[in-house]
């Protein structure tokens, strides 16, 4: 008898930004629950002590599926604001995905056309 996946029944929290990752991590977390001694009861993790690697990775994935929370930093003394000077530089041209040679203008890369013979009849001189 197939088991119902918990992620199909769960309501996704509003702050989740990657629903697929969150649902998959929820299913792995549900499959790797600890027993009475704190060890994983999943047969794939037999003999592992404490929280198994799959459960740790799933919990990390559930955290990554949500937006990063800004770290709280201790207040610091404020310094007077100064304008930063940035030297303007010209951006480098795109060199291509698989080449290390410098970029060539588009006109240089086009194949050269050979002069086409004229369709007029030869003239007698």
């Amino acid at each position: 008898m197939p088991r119902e996946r918990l992620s199909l029944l769960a309501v996704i929290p509003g702050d989740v930004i990657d629903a697929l990752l969150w649902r998959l991590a929820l299913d792995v977390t549900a499959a790797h629950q600890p027993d009475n001694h704190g060890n994983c009861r999943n047969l794939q993790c037999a003999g592992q002590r404490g929280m198994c690697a799959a459960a740790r990775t799933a919990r990390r994935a559930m955290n990554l599926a949500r937006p990063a929370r800004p770290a709280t930093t201790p207040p610091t003394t404020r310094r007077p604001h100064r304008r930063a000077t940035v030297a303007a530089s010209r951006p480098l041209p795109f060199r291509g995905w698989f080449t290390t040679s410098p970029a060539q203008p588009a006109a240089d890369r086009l194949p050269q056309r050979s002069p086409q013979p004229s369709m007029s009849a030869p003239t007698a001189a």
Side-chain angles (χ1 to χ4, degrees):
M1 180 165 110
R3 287 187 287 165
E4 188 71 26
R5 293 178 65 177
L6 182 61
S7 66
L8 296 176
L9 304 173
V11 176
I12 299 174
D15 64 339
V16 169
I17 57 174
D18 191 345
L20 179 62
L21 178 63
W22 189 88
R23 284 182 186 272
L24 290 172
L26 181 68
D27 288 335
V28 172
T29 303
H32 292 265
Q33 289 296 310
D35 62 6
N36 294 338
H37 302 291
N39 301 322
C40 183
R41 68 177 68 189
N42 192 304
L43 294 177
Q44 294 174 338
C45 302
Q48 290 189 22
R49 296 293 209 195
M51 186 185 295
C52 67
R56 285 192 307 270
T57 304
R59 289 192 185 195
R60 183 171 183 259
M62 288 182 86
N63 289 334
L64 291 173
R66 294 176 177 224
R69 294 185 178 136
T72 58
T73 57
T76 59
T77 58
R78 291 192 170 200
R79 296 179 187 158
H81 292 286
R82 296 182 187 158
R83 290 195 152 199
T85 57
V86 178
S89 63
R90 190 171 151 221
L92 296 175
F94 179 71
R95 292 181 180 237
W97 293 108
F98 303 104
T99 181
T100 58
S101 64
Q104 297 176 349
D108 293 345
R109 288 183 294 182
L110 295 176
Q112 300 295 324
R113 288 188 167 177
S114 60
Q116 295 183 358
S118 64
M119 297 303 226
S120 61
T123 58

